[in-house]
């Protein structure tokens, strides 16, 4: 409560330097609640605190609080136990009031402003059916029988994209999960938010792409930025959950396209070309796709890639199977110069793992290099898998 009376710039409610008691603060707060010299004191959280029955004159809870201040030694455990429920309620009201005070000091609106945001428009459902392979080698080939005995018993269809929409990510707030320039797949229905989810947050005309942090004890939600360079990170934001509409990000597309018109950390998109090119899918097992995807998530694959096509795909992500049976996710790098042009470098993803030099054709005189067998272009990842 002292925080509310600790600003000499507002003499209408600043107090003297004399040490104040709890009753002094209560009486001062009630006077300001009646006169409302600034917007803070008409906030519902302040009103609820001032009207709490536990703080009424002669209330047992108030007597216990005064005794704790003036004669703590005379207070028994039974005295506190008798008002324990009232003390818990009072603590909750005090925390809500202090939250309102912090918002006011940050010059945020105190009134619960209705979120005047148009509903998100779902994208047109893409038409496709793709087998979900349990084996990465099978995922990279035209026929699963070419590389593995595993059989794809699951399938992914365009139905998964019903009630989803797309957002172009215009900032590096989400780290490797959704780098700037990628496309977020977002649920059109809003939700209350879960700790550590990545979300699109709509707040009073702002569109934010952030990591949601929701304290276990409740209170304000936190929207954090995860920049690769912390010196470039945007400030962490805190807000009353009622003033923000949250939409869960459930996947991403790697497709690069020109930024759409508009402002904000994310901008709505009507469609993405890559959705029409989904040919296969792979359900990640163990740590085979980290940091691209986590176990259980779905990697979306496009067309299979032949050795002659890699020159046009530098910088793209691919699933690669080698002649020795090893399968990996890599980023396509350049071919080596001169006489070594038949060798191509494949780079690590997200700084994890090692780069790899691969012979794009079998050369008997160069047995030490792993040899290319098959590959498939990676189009995106579904975090909330079917």
């Amino acid at each position: 409560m002292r925080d509310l009376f600790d600003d000499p710039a507002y003499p209408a409610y600043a107090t003297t330097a004399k040490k104040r008691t709890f009753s002094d603060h209560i009486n001062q707060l009630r006077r300001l609640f009646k006169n409302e010299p600034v917007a803070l004191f008409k906030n519902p959280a302040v009103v609820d605190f001032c009207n709490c029955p536990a703080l009424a004159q002669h209330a047992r809870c108030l007597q216990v609080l005064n005794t704790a201040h003036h004669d703590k030694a005379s207070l028994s455990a039974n005295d506190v136990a008798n008002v324990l429920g009232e003390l818990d309620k009072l603590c909750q009201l005090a925390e809500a009031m202090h939250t309102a005070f912090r918002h006011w000091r940050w010059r945020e609106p105190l009134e619960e402003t209705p979120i005047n945001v148009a509903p998100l428009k779902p994208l047109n459902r893409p038409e496709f059916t793709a087998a979900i392979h349990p084996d990465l080698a099978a995922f990279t080939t035209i026929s699963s029988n070419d590389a593995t005995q595993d059989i794809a018993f699951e399938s992914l269809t365009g139905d998964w994209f019903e009630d989803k929409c797309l957002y172009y990510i215009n900032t590096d707030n989400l780290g490797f999960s959704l780098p700037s320039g990628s496309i977020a797949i977002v649920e059109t229905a809003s939700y209350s938010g879960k700790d550590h989810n990545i979300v699109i947050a709509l707040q009073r005309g702002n569109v934010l792409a952030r990591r949601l942090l929701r304290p276990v004890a409740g209170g304000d939600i936190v929207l954090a930025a995860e920049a690769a360079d912390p010196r470039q990170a945007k400030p962490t934001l805190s807000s009353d959950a009622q003033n923000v509409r949250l939409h869960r990000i459930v996947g991403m597309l790697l497709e690069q396209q020109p930024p759409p018109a508009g402002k904000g950390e994310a901008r709505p998109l009507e469609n993405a070309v890559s959705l029409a090119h989904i040919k296969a899918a792979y359900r990640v097992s163990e740590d085979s796709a980290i940091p691209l995807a986590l176990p259980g998530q779905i990697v979306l694959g496009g067309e299979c890639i032949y050795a002659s096509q890699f020159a046009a795909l530098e910088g793209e992500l691919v699933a690669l199977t080698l002649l020795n049976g090893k399968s990996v996710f890599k980023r396509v790098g350049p071919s080596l110069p001169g006489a070594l042009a038949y060798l191509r470098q494949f780079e690590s993803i997200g700084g994890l793992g090692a780069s790899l030099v691969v012979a794009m054709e079998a050369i008997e005189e160069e047995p030490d290099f792993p040899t290319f067998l098959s590959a498939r272009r990676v189009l995106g990842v579904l975090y909330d898998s079917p």
Side-chain angles (χ1 to χ4, degrees):
M1 289 184 65
R2 283 196 299 267
D3 291 347
L4 275 69
F5 308 104
D6 190 26
D7 196 336
Y10 296 91
Y13 62 93
T15 63
T16 64
K18 179 182 176 181
K19 186 175 181 180
R20 311 284 288 183
T21 65
F22 179 74
S23 294
D24 290 332
H25 287 315
I26 288 291
N27 294 332
Q28 179 76 357
L29 185 61
R30 283 176 173 153
R31 287 194 294 270
L32 297 168
F33 157 61
K34 292 179 181 179
N35 296 325
E36 300 177 0
V38 291
L40 171 66
F41 298 103
K42 59 183 178 182
N43 184 271
V46 177
V47 174
D48 291 344
F49 184 84
C50 291
N51 290 335
C52 180
L55 298 179
Q57 190 175 10
H58 306 307
R60 288 191 306 170
C61 183
L62 182 60
Q63 292 175 357
V64 168
L65 290 171
N66 285 330
T67 302
H69 179 77
H70 296 288
D71 190 13
K72 187 175 182 179
S74 67
L75 199 63
S76 68
N78 190 55
D79 293 333
V80 177
N82 288 335
V83 295
L84 187 59
E86 295 171 88
L87 289 171
D88 286 341
K89 178 64 175 177
L90 194 58
C91 286
Q92 294 175 18
L93 293 174
E95 178 59 33
M97 181 174 65
H98 197 267
T99 296
F101 164 74
R102 295 197 305 271
H103 285 181
W104 176 78
R105 286 293 297 269
W106 297 337
R107 302 301 183 262
E108 293 182 4
L110 287 173
E111 295 81 6
E112 291 187 4
T113 306
I115 304 175
N116 187 21
V117 180
L120 300 186
K121 181 181 177 180
L123 58 84
N124 294 327
R125 186 177 69 87
E127 298 292 338
F128 71 88
T129 299
I132 301 177
H133 293 281
D135 179 83
L136 184 53
F139 172 68
T140 66
T141 61
I142 296 176
S143 170
S144 62
N145 295 327
D146 293 341
T148 179
Q149 297 299 314
D150 286 347
I151 300 175
F153 292 105
E154 301 178 277
S155 64
L156 175 71
T157 70
D159 292 342
W160 187 89
F161 288 88
E162 288 186 351
D163 301 321
K164 308 291 193 304
C165 61
L166 304 176
Y167 270 85
Y168 177 90
I169 301 302
N170 197 45
T171 179
D172 279 319
N173 283 353
L174 299 175
F176 186 79
S177 299
L178 274 163
S180 179
S182 57
I183 298 173
I185 305 171
V186 182
E187 291 181 332
T188 56
S190 61
Y191 80 131
S192 59
K194 185 178 179 181
D195 192 29
H196 290 292
N197 278 178
I198 51 176
V199 300
I200 297 296
L202 308 178
Q203 181 188 41
R204 296 192 297 273
N206 296 323
V207 181
L208 308 174
R210 297 294 179 109
R211 174 78 66 179
L212 172 66
L213 303 177
R214 182 179 280 279
V216 176
D220 288 0
I221 61 171
V222 176
L223 297 168
E226 298 179 348
D229 184 349
R231 297 170 299 177
Q232 304 298 323
K234 294 186 177 181
T236 298
L237 303 177
S238 176
S239 178
D240 188 325
Q242 295 180 350
N243 294 333
V244 182
R245 203 170 80 190
L246 301 172
H247 294 265
R248 188 163 61 116
I249 296 175
V250 293
M252 61 92 73
L253 298 174
L254 294 166
E255 175 184 332
Q256 298 287 310
Q257 60 174 269
K263 299 180 180 180
E265 297 175 358
R267 302 173 186 175
L269 284 174
E270 292 187 0
N271 204 357
V273 175
S274 56
L275 292 178
H277 297 282
I278 297 173
K279 303 299 181 183
Y282 164 60
R283 186 178 294 279
V284 179
S285 60
E286 300 178 346
D287 297 336
S288 60
I290 291 176
L292 175 65
L294 299 177
Q297 295 177 349
I298 298 292
V299 175
L300 301 175
E303 300 283 355
C304 283
I305 306 170
Y306 299 96
S308 60
Q309 297 175 304
F310 279 96
L313 297 175
E314 286 190 24
E316 301 284 347
L317 267 61
V318 298
L320 180 69
T321 295
L322 306 173
L323 198 58
N324 61 12
K326 183 178 181 181
S327 298
V328 292
F329 287 99
K330 294 293 180 182
R331 190 180 300 277
V332 180
S335 60
L336 273 59
L340 299 178
Y342 67 94
L343 298 175
R344 181 171 293 275
Q345 183 171 335
F346 288 85
E347 301 165 351
S348 63
I349 299 175
L352 295 181
S355 296
L356 187 66
V357 175
V358 175
M360 304 308 292
E361 56 183 290
I363 305 294
E364 294 182 3
E365 294 79 8
E366 299 288 353
D368 293 337
F369 290 102
T371 304
F372 169 80
L373 176 63
S374 59
R376 189 180 294 274
R377 189 172 182 179
V378 174
L379 302 180
V381 179
L382 305 184
Y383 307 139
D384 188 17
S385 61

